[in-house]
Amino acid sequence: MALYSEKVMDHFTHPRNVGVIEDADGVGEVGNAKCGDIMKIYLKIKDDTIDDVKFETFGCGSAIASSSMATELIKGKPLSEALELTNRAVAEALDGLPAHKMHCSVLAEEAIKAAVRDYYDKNGIAYDSEQFPDSDGCDHCSV
Ligand code: FES
């Protein structure tokens, strides 16, 4: 069996939503201390819904495929749904990732949460910090 699914290869070779949103409402950047890979997510938010999303990922193929799939999964969705997106759901949508590459999908989940938190912070919107367990100085991300 191939190491990577067709979907992983498709999103790696033709990533969706790559780029920068200059006037983004929320930006989240996370890094993986072990491999040095970095993911940045830009959100445009309208009426509590993700109107547009773009990403820049300096990382491995699994991280790029995960970013691409994650942006597709949250585009047009309410913030509450975006916050519920787990790295497992991203990996499942990609028809799986090899076990030693699951950590790459964690970056996507964390970058989205960091971007939503940035939006809340910039706009003085109160939130439950329990929703952002990984954004407060965990051992493998930079925020
Ligand atoms: Fe670093 Fe995949 S090896 S995110």
Side-chain angles (χ1 to χ4, degrees):
M1 199 184 106
L3 188 57
Y4 293 108
S5 71
E6 275 179 31
K7 275 198 192 164
V8 172
M9 292 310 293
D10 178 36
H11 279 264
F12 169 51
T13 51
H14 304 101
R16 281 60 147 184
N17 308 309
V18 176
V20 175
I21 298 176
E22 295 294 348
D23 58 343
D25 297 311
V27 179
E29 182 174 334
V30 294
N32 184 315
K34 286 197 187 104
C35 62
D37 292 347
I38 295 170
M39 188 180 295
K40 202 164 177 179
I41 295 263
Y42 301 83
L43 298 177
K44 199 75 199 150
I45 294 162
K46 211 182 195 172
D47 299 331
D48 260 357
T49 296
I50 297 179
D51 200 38
D52 198 12
V53 49
K54 297 243 184 278
F55 79 89
E56 292 178 303
T57 292
F58 303 95
C60 71
S62 298
I64 290 167
S66 296
S67 324
S68 172
M69 179 55 87
T71 56
E72 287 286 89
L73 290 171
I74 64 167
K75 204 172 190 173
K77 296 278 166 55
L79 288 178
S80 55
E81 262 183 59
L83 284 174
E84 278 169 16
L85 184 72
T86 62
N87 77 300
R88 294 211 163 271
V90 174
E92 269 167 33
L94 287 167
D95 290 339
L97 283 169
H100 68 287
K101 285 287 176 182
M102 279 303 285
H103 72 97
C104 313
S105 62
V106 174
L107 279 183
E109 177 188 330
E110 290 181 348
I112 290 167
K113 289 196 165 120
V116 173
R117 186 176 191 160
D118 180 51
Y119 166 71
Y120 285 161
D121 284 341
K122 279 181 180 150
N123 290 278
I125 299 169
Y127 55 83
D128 180 357
S129 54
E130 294 281 305
Q131 279 182 294
F132 303 93
D134 293 321
S135 306
D136 260 340
C138 73
D139 62 358
H140 60 278
C141 62
S142 64
V143 291

